Amino acid sequence: MLHVGGSLDTNLSFIVWYMDKNRPLPNGDAFDDYRKKEYKRRKEEGFPPPLFRTFIPTDEFKLKWRIERDKHWKDIISTNKNGDISHQLWQSAENIALHGEWKEVVPQ
């Protein structure tokens, strides 16, 4: 069992971050050679929303990239009173038409 510290939700979210093709690559220089190409791929696809829910915020590597992505995610982004940004699990009619409905994955 992989344990990276924290709760089970956090540990599983850490793994999901690496596995979800609709999320940016994790921080760290191991991915630097691939980061720009991956960002461009997701931009061409219209920044589809994440496939799986996670408890770790997965922001873009550069602020200008995050701003560009957030234009596409404007209907699923909210900011709390502390200024923390969170991505909601619902989508607008426009996003549903573009990417399909988000379906929660429930383990069997």
Side-chain angles (χ1 to χ4, degrees):
M1 175 73 181
L2 175 67
H3 181 67
V4 293
S7 69
L8 178 61
D9 290 340
T10 304
N11 289 336
L12 291 176
S13 295
F14 184 76
I15 295 168
V16 167
W17 185 355
Y18 286 91
M19 304 285 295
D20 193 336
K21 69 177 185 166
N22 293 345
R23 293 185 185 278
L25 291 171
N27 295 329
D29 57 5
F31 296 104
D32 286 350
D33 294 341
Y34 310 99
R35 202 174 303 283
K36 189 171 185 177
K37 183 178 178 182
E38 178 65 12
Y39 169 79
K40 287 182 177 182
R41 179 195 62 80
R42 289 182 302 110
K43 184 176 179 179
E44 288 172 3
E45 293 177 0
F47 294 103
L51 297 173
F52 306 103
R53 182 175 13 187
T54 180
F55 294 91
I56 298 175
T58 53
D59 288 331
E60 297 292 340
F61 187 66
K62 296 182 178 181
L63 177 61
K64 68 179 184 176
W65 291 1
R66 189 180 84 210
I67 292 169
E68 182 65 28
R69 181 202 56 199
D70 289 353
K71 291 177 189 175
H72 295 265
W73 285 14
K74 63 185 176 288
D75 59 323
I76 62 172
I77 291 177
S78 65
T79 306
N80 68 15
K81 62 184 176 186
N82 296 330
D84 300 324
I85 296 174
S86 65
H87 302 284
Q88 304 302 318
L89 299 177
W90 62 83
Q91 298 174 324
S92 68
E94 177 186 358
N95 262 359
I96 290 172
L98 186 60
H99 305 296
E101 233 177 297
W102 190 90
K103 294 183 170 66
E104 187 172 356
V105 177
V106 180
Q108 298 297 324

